[in-house]
Amino acid sequence: MTSEVEEVYELLLGRERAIDAALDAVARLHQDDDVPTAMYEAFTTEYQRETEQLRAVISTLRSEYPEVEREQLLVSERRVLQEEKNAVKDAIRAGVINDDIGERLLEEIDLKVDLVAAGESTVLGGGEGYDEF
């Protein structure tokens, strides 16, 4: 991502993740009685307000700038494909599937990774452009 809009989008996504982590932390601290209820409620109210604002701006950016939406799709797809690869590798290590089957599955995932790296989604557009299995 290189455009100014895309940088703002990334900044907003980063802030949203930071807020989610802060909300998780304050909930844990409150549960452990390290944050009084009044402070917990103040933190939660403020962070939830900011989250709503961020989500509104993020939604607007996605709808007004299709390239931002497309890049987010590709980033998400890369992450999902990496999780797929990890799951297959774990299944091979655990003996759930044999090495040959695992390698075939990994090759298929690698084809998808290559398509995504070339800017093509394997989720949208009716298929990957190759036959699975």
Side-chain angles (χ1 to χ4, degrees):
M1 291 188 160
T2 56
S3 78
E4 192 173 317
V5 170
E6 290 168 327
E7 287 181 24
V8 168
Y9 181 76
E10 281 188 22
L11 179 69
L12 295 170
L13 288 179
R15 181 63 187 146
E16 185 180 32
R17 283 183 179 233
I19 289 171
D20 287 344
L23 283 168
D24 289 345
V26 77
R28 279 191 314 276
L29 291 169
H30 181 254
Q31 186 175 3
D32 294 341
D33 293 324
D34 290 332
V35 171
T37 299
M39 285 184 187
Y40 167 75
E41 289 172 356
F43 279 124
T44 301
T45 299
E46 176 58 24
Y47 281 129
Q48 287 174 342
R49 182 194 60 74
E50 188 175 350
T51 297
E52 289 172 15
Q53 290 174 339
L54 282 169
R55 288 183 179 155
V57 173
I58 288 169
S59 178
T60 300
L61 282 175
R62 283 181 175 163
S63 63
E64 290 181 9
Y65 298 93
E67 68 273 13
V68 170
E69 181 73 17
R70 177 111 179 115
E71 184 61 27
Q72 184 60 42
L73 169 69
L74 294 173
V75 167
S76 298
E77 197 166 341
R78 280 190 290 272
R79 293 177 69 194
V80 168
L81 289 170
Q82 187 57 53
E83 291 299 321
E84 267 190 61
K85 278 184 90 163
N86 292 341
V88 170
K89 288 176 182 179
D90 289 347
I92 294 168
R93 278 192 293 275
V96 174
I97 57 176
N98 71 46
D99 290 350
D100 292 338
I101 298 297
E103 287 305 316
R104 284 176 48 196
L105 292 169
L106 290 172
E107 286 173 15
E108 182 178 309
I109 295 167
D110 285 339
L111 286 172
K112 292 179 182 181
V113 168
D114 291 344
L115 287 170
V116 171
E120 296 179 42
S121 172
T122 65
V123 180
L124 300 179
E128 291 92 359
Y130 65 91
D131 293 328
E132 295 190 63
F133 295 102

